Amino acid sequence: MPTPVASSTLNDECPTMTDLALPTYDDVVAAAQRIEGHAHRTPVMSSRILNEEMGAQVLFKCENLQRMGAFKFRGAFNALSRFTAEQRRNGVVTFSSGNHAQAIALSARILGIPATIIMPHDAPKAKAEATKGYGGNIVYYDRYSEDREAIGRALSEKHGLTLIPPYDHPDVLAGQGTAAKELFEEVGELDAFFVCLGGGGLLSGSALTTKALSPNCKLYGVEPEAGNDGQQSFRKGEIVRIDTPKTIADGAQTQYLGNYTFGIIKRDVDDIFTASDAELVDCMRFAFSRMKLVIEPTGCLAFAAARRMKDQLKGKRVGVLVSGGNVDLDRFCGVMAG
């Protein structure tokens, strides 16, 4: 079983991928046991209109209805629940544009752990306010000119905090894999499964689960068109770093995959696609008007790619992981009216 990563361990300080002991599906199973009774078992939904449009059965795993509004609670709670007594006393630090921030803050509150959250100045207002509401102490930075990892290292070293990064952590990605575990347990095997991709925690955790529970299922990651570092990395066979992408999918404005996440993705994922901001907006409108679901832009990445591939998916059973629903009300109304 993977042990919690030391407080100052980050992507550029991890062992090379050939030295990593990658998590397994057994770790996902253990994570599911830890989060049981704390994380919601979110519903699986479908739309008759969409099924007719695509000529396929499309099943949405609705993590927008998870605690704090996103799948991130799963990985955060799993990671923090493994802290030693000393780690709990000293506290946790993380960096995030919003959903992981909220997840760490809420998990820390439940477990009685002090939490420091490094967030960009332009993080969605709703996510920042929720993070504060859960008791997180926010330290702001400029995502385009400052290094959030350097800030995290400095704070962890100065105050003895344990750093739990948003995705490149065995306990985090194992926790994220529990969403796919619930989906397959409820609906059985699928022909294709689409999962959003930022830093890779959800996709890599889902990959461990998919290979165990639906081995013949094609697994696809989906990231913003403006930030396709994962697609480039997948094609090249090594981690590619990019500038911070400008996209409405704020939860996927990552610059590179992690060593743990990429190790699993390159081994177990079938392909990586992208979605444009316009496609995300269209899917947000459909979800709200036809399914009465509020989904944030990042949460529509998987839906957008599946919808575009309808010709290849006819007659198939298709899973779509809706990653979150945390979107500012003003922004959401603007998108719906636009």
Side-chain angles (χ1 to χ4, degrees), residues 42-291:
T42 53
V44 177
M45 299 179 65
S46 63
S47 163
R48 176 186 58 80
I49 294 173
L50 181 66
N51 288 346
E52 291 177 356
E53 172 191 317
M54 294 187 60
Q57 182 183 18
V58 183
L59 300 162
F60 292 86
K61 177 62 171 171
C62 297
E63 286 295 289
N64 55 315
L65 301 177
Q66 183 55 260
R67 291 189 74 167
M68 48 69 47
F71 74 95
K72 291 283 191 177
F73 180 77
R74 297 172 181 273
F77 191 88
N78 184 50
L80 267 60
S81 69
R82 302 199 67 205
F83 273 22
T84 64
E86 181 180 3
Q87 286 176 309
R88 292 187 181 215
R89 285 194 302 271
N90 291 343
V92 62
V93 61
T94 194
F95 43 82
S96 166
S97 65
N99 283 340
H100 181 68
Q102 293 174 79
I104 289 290
L106 177 57
S107 299
R109 180 175 181 173
I110 293 170
L111 295 168
I113 301 171
T116 299
I117 316 293
I118 303 163
M119 296 186 75
H121 285 292
D122 61 349
K125 183 179 179 182
K127 295 182 179 182
E129 290 180 349
T131 300
K132 292 177 183 177
Y134 293 135
N137 174 39
I138 297 179
V139 175
Y140 286 105
Y141 79 103
D142 185 332
R143 74 164 91 221
Y144 298 104
S145 64
E146 294 183 285
D147 185 344
R148 66 183 189 173
E149 297 188 4
I151 297 170
R153 277 196 296 270
L155 288 174
S156 69
E157 292 168 2
K158 182 177 181 180
H159 302 291
L161 310 178
T162 298
L163 177 68
I164 299 295
Y167 50 86
D168 200 30
H169 189 293
D171 294 333
V172 170
L173 71 88
Q176 317 306 26
T178 62
K181 179 176 183 291
E182 291 177 5
L183 174 64
F184 288 118
E185 287 174 345
E186 182 168 342
V187 307
E189 295 193 28
L190 298 170
D191 297 305
F193 187 24
F194 293 80
V195 179
C196 77
L197 172 60
L202 182 60
L203 180 57
S204 58
S206 297
L208 296 177
T209 300
T210 302
K211 293 306 177 186
L213 301 184
S214 187
N216 295 318
C217 176
K218 295 292 186 182
L219 178 61
Y220 304 115
V222 190
E223 59 190 346
E225 192 175 78
N228 71 331
D229 61 290
Q231 187 181 63
Q232 291 184 57
S233 300
F234 189 78
R235 302 279 193 272
K236 193 173 182 180
E238 61 185 50
I239 296 174
V240 173
R241 299 188 177 215
I242 63 171
D243 293 333
T244 301
K246 294 185 178 181
T247 169
I248 62 170
D250 62 275
Q253 285 182 293
T254 48
Q255 296 173 285
Y256 51 87
L257 300 175
N259 287 327
Y260 286 101
T261 60
F262 182 61
I264 296 170
I265 288 169
K266 74 172 183 175
R267 181 190 69 192
D268 293 339
V269 171
D270 290 285
D271 208 346
I272 294 177
F273 304 124
T274 64
S276 69
D277 282 0
E279 288 175 309
L280 299 182
V281 170
D282 191 47
C283 287
M284 289 175 69
R285 288 200 186 104
F286 181 94
F288 181 72
S289 63
R290 296 297 187 177
M291 301 178 70

